[in-house]
Amino acid sequence: MPAVIAAKVEIHETVAAAASTGSTASSGMGSMGSGSTGMSTGASGMMTMREVASIAIPAGKTVALAPGGCHIMLVDLPKALTTGQKFTITLTFTKAGAVDVPVEVRSS
């Protein structure tokens, strides 16, 4: 049985915080293409993250998961991750089904 890396896994996007209300603005997920992170800076210059239910990937395109854009958030880790540690995350796609993706922990 594989080790439990996190109690919960979430998909997040980074978005610009609205200057006057403190709410978040959409990053335009539908316009994401190859290598795009969907990151922008609002009038306040502040960025925030929010959980999303899924990421739309247009046919024939790729979407990069990376800090500062769309990313996977591991929540409630039973122990700290270490640089160089490797494990697998299973991503589930509407048409492709489950795909195992190798992950390597890197320093920031």
Side-chain angles (χ1 to χ4, degrees):
M1 174 185 263
V4 174
I5 299 296
K8 186 175 179 183
V9 179
E10 300 174 348
I11 302 171
H12 284 196
E13 67 177 343
T14 304
V15 294
S20 59
T21 64
S23 64
T24 58
S26 173
S27 68
M29 289 291 292
S31 65
M32 290 182 62
S34 182
S36 172
T37 63
M39 185 172 158
S40 61
T41 303
S44 69
M46 298 295 293
M47 301 301 292
T48 188
M49 290 183 294
R50 67 176 172 199
E51 184 177 5
V52 295
S54 63
I55 300 172
I57 304 175
K61 301 288 183 177
T62 60
V63 174
L65 299 177
C70 290
H71 58 277
I72 294 173
M73 179 73 69
L74 303 175
V75 181
D76 294 332
L77 292 99
K79 65 179 189 174
L81 301 176
T82 57
T83 302
Q85 182 178 353
K86 296 179 182 180
F87 54 92
T88 301
I89 290 180
T90 302
L91 303 178
T92 304
F93 297 88
T94 302
K95 294 183 179 177
V99 176
D100 289 339
V101 179
V103 175
E104 181 176 354
V105 178
R106 298 181 187 167
S107 62
S108 55

